Amino acid sequence: MEQAMRGFFLYLSRNKALTKVAKKYGLQFGAKRFVAGDTINLAVDVIRGLNNKGLDVTIDYLGEFIESEEEAMEMTNQCIEAIQAIGRESIESQLSLKLTSLGLDLSSDIAIQNMKRILDEAETNGVFVTIDMEDYSRCEKTLRIFKELKTKYDNIGTVIQAYLRRTENDMKELDAYEPNLRLVKGAYKEPKEVVFPKKQDVDENFKKIIEMHMLNGHYTAVATHDDKIIEYTKNLVLKHNIPKEQFEFQMLYGIRTEKQEELVKDGYRMRVYVPYGTDWYGYFMRRLAERPANVAFVLKGMSKK
């Protein structure tokens, strides 16, 4: 039942018509639990509140289904505006983005040129930028662009997904770039032949790549809400005397907030992934797919309308 519900929400996340409806009617029906607001000013207020609790942040201006260079340019401008706000307001935040929102599906050249504009502004303001990983069909393009940009910019990282069979080889190829990586389980519905089908296998691969990246001496962001993975990471760094300055935990805004604050109190760096913007629908549906129990919050929100 849970697997069927997950597939249902992932299907909804790719529905362009519903995305347009969601944009029209705004943040309603529980999405505010996971999305900071539809403007950068609202997001800044959320970031400042999190910073006051000792939490670091990475901000993401949500955007999917870019169909023109003009839309990609607008997304780029929004990212630059977010970077400038981080610098102006002196808040602790990085920036996360998706290459599809910058025109990847139009052409790699468009995405690269938009990324260079963003990274130049980020360098000026001392902001680190992470390229989010998307579905399998865009994985190779994303890694190729990351490698190209990493030779010119230091303030850039990307994401590796544990549920993909190709991940271990990708990690080995990336090692030469001394990358700052966010390691995640993965949240897209993919063909069976490219992913580990069983949760146990995904978890074991997740542990493997965490150990691999940390022992290679590279900065590691362990993005998980799973207590077992968190405890595994804590034990790993103790066993190998890995300094706390070499890694951090990451979680999503609105999920396990008490655990986030607990990690900070225990002396760990904890970063919250804070999305904002009008194009929140696809992101919201993937959160429901990851944890169908979140549907309860949606129903609660609908009952108040």
Side-chain angles (χ1 to χ4, degrees), residues 64-217:
E64 302 185 35
F65 304 126
I66 294 299
E67 296 177 345
S68 69
E69 286 191 49
E70 290 74 22
E71 288 180 316
M73 182 71 70
E74 174 57 25
M75 287 297 302
T76 302
N77 292 339
Q78 291 288 349
C79 290
I80 289 173
E81 181 184 9
I83 291 167
Q84 292 171 340
I86 291 169
R88 182 177 63 252
E89 300 293 335
S90 298
I91 49 180
E92 205 309 308
S93 181
Q94 299 179 355
L95 176 74
S96 294
L97 53 78
K98 290 179 174 58
L99 289 180
T100 52
S101 72
L102 305 183
L104 178 63
D105 290 348
L106 301 176
S107 83
S108 293
D109 288 342
I110 291 173
I112 289 170
Q113 289 307 310
N114 286 332
M115 273 299 302
K116 287 180 177 178
R117 286 185 59 209
I118 290 167
L119 289 168
D120 286 341
E121 189 66 35
E123 275 191 338
T124 300
N125 287 275
V127 175
F128 189 85
V129 178
T130 297
I131 300 174
D132 287 338
M133 189 57 69
E134 302 180 63
D135 62 5
Y136 181 81
S137 68
R138 298 174 175 92
C139 182
E140 185 65 34
K141 287 183 181 179
T142 298
L143 291 177
R144 188 163 59 244
I145 289 173
F146 168 74
K147 291 173 184 176
E148 177 178 338
L149 293 170
K150 187 66 172 67
T151 62
K152 302 172 184 175
Y153 297 92
D154 292 326
N155 61 328
I156 184 173
T158 192
V159 178
I160 293 294
Q161 299 167 317
Y163 73 161
L164 294 180
R165 295 182 183 276
R166 61 173 289 166
T167 286
E168 186 174 352
N169 286 332
D170 287 337
M171 297 277 289
K172 291 176 181 178
E173 290 183 9
L174 287 169
D175 184 52
Y177 295 85
E178 299 183 355
N180 178 322
L181 296 179
R182 177 192 303 150
L183 306 181
V184 305
K185 288 188 180 182
Y188 292 86
K189 186 175 178 60
E190 303 288 6
K192 293 180 180 180
E193 61 269 19
V194 304
V195 297
F196 294 105
K198 297 180 180 178
K199 180 182 183 300
Q200 181 180 348
D201 293 334
V202 175
D203 288 348
E204 288 306 309
N205 199 45
F206 200 3
K207 293 175 183 177
K208 179 189 291 187
I209 64 175
I210 291 171
E211 180 177 21
M212 181 189 305
H213 200 55
M214 284 193 175
L215 295 187
N216 283 340

Side-chain angles (χ1 to χ4, degrees), residues 289-303:
E290 286 176 342
R291 190 167 182 265
N294 288 330
V295 175
F297 294 103
V298 180
L299 296 176
K300 184 177 180 180
M302 291 176 68
S303 70

